[in-house]
Amino acid sequence: MIRNASRLAATAAALFMLASPVFAQEPSASHLALAREVAVNSGMTRSFDAMTEPLLAQLQQMNVTRPEIKQDLEQVVAILRPEVEQHKQKMVDNAARAFAARMTEAELKEVAAFYNTPAGKKYVEVQPLLLDDIVRDLATWTQNVSEYIMIRARAEMGKRGHQLN
């Protein structure tokens, strides 16, 4: 019976430790504010606009096939835009919570300070262009590395008396 009680206590302790992130203390308002600042100033939240604006534009394009509804569609988009902005702000809040969960307030202060420097602002400005370059180069690099791996694997397997096709 004592053995069962100690097993139960050990199991309870293990479950509590596994669940402890759920019970973690909520970040302070200043911590969340800094995390939000980093999310916005880093340019990360631009992707939310990149996702929502085409949806609104697509809705407006319906007037191409039905010109008689153009004015009503424009009014609907005008009504929806602030609602979509509220949805976007929820994602910004989620991003801030993710930053706050993984970075201390002190770390976020340092990152926020960087994004407020000329170099930080330049980084945010060129980041989409850099990502375009990297994605383009990644395709070529992946192909080259794939070929290299196969050539090297065939050579090494050949040394061992095996042939790869």
Side-chain angles (χ1 to χ4, degrees):
M1 183 150 183
I2 293 175
R3 197 177 318 175
N4 286 343
S6 64
R7 282 186 190 155
L8 183 61
T11 302
L15 288 173
F16 180 76
M17 288 182 355
L18 289 173
S20 64
V22 174
F23 300 114
Q25 183 178 0
E26 279 290 311
S28 68
S30 60
H31 193 171
L32 279 174
L34 274 168
R36 186 181 233 304
E37 180 182 344
V38 167
V40 171
N41 290 349
S42 70
M44 176 185 289
T45 59
R46 286 185 300 218
S47 62
F48 307 150
D49 286 328
M51 292 176 192
T52 57
E53 284 306 314
L55 297 173
L56 292 172
Q58 183 180 9
L59 182 60
Q60 284 184 303
Q61 291 302 314
M62 290 177 73
N63 69 38
V64 172
T65 57
R66 298 190 51 204
E68 74 276 9
I69 65 171
K70 179 180 180 179
Q71 186 176 5
D72 287 337
L73 268 176
E74 288 173 357
Q75 291 171 358
V76 167
V77 169
I79 290 168
L80 290 177
R81 193 170 294 283
E83 294 173 24
V84 169
E85 181 62 26
Q86 285 179 335
H87 285 281
K88 188 180 87 170
Q89 290 308 313
K90 287 179 185 175
M91 264 318 292
V92 173
D93 290 342
N94 290 345
R97 287 193 180 289
F99 271 112
R102 289 175 171 70
M103 297 181 76
T104 67
E105 194 167 347
E107 292 165 336
L108 287 167
K109 280 181 187 180
E110 288 183 43
V111 173
F114 167 72
Y115 283 122
N116 287 316
T117 66
K121 290 176 182 177
K122 178 70 175 191
Y123 172 80
V124 171
E125 178 186 324
V126 301
Q127 186 182 33
L129 303 170
L130 292 170
L131 290 173
D132 288 346
D133 292 345
I134 291 167
V135 168
R136 183 192 62 242
D137 293 344
L138 186 60
T140 303
W141 178 82
T142 302
Q143 181 64 36
N144 291 341
V145 170
S146 174
E147 290 171 10
Y148 172 80
I149 289 171
M150 285 308 297
I151 291 168
R152 290 289 296 126
R154 285 183 180 124
E156 290 299 319
M157 290 300 284
K159 290 178 188 176
R160 291 164 175 76
H162 306 288
Q163 185 176 356
L164 291 180
N165 293 327

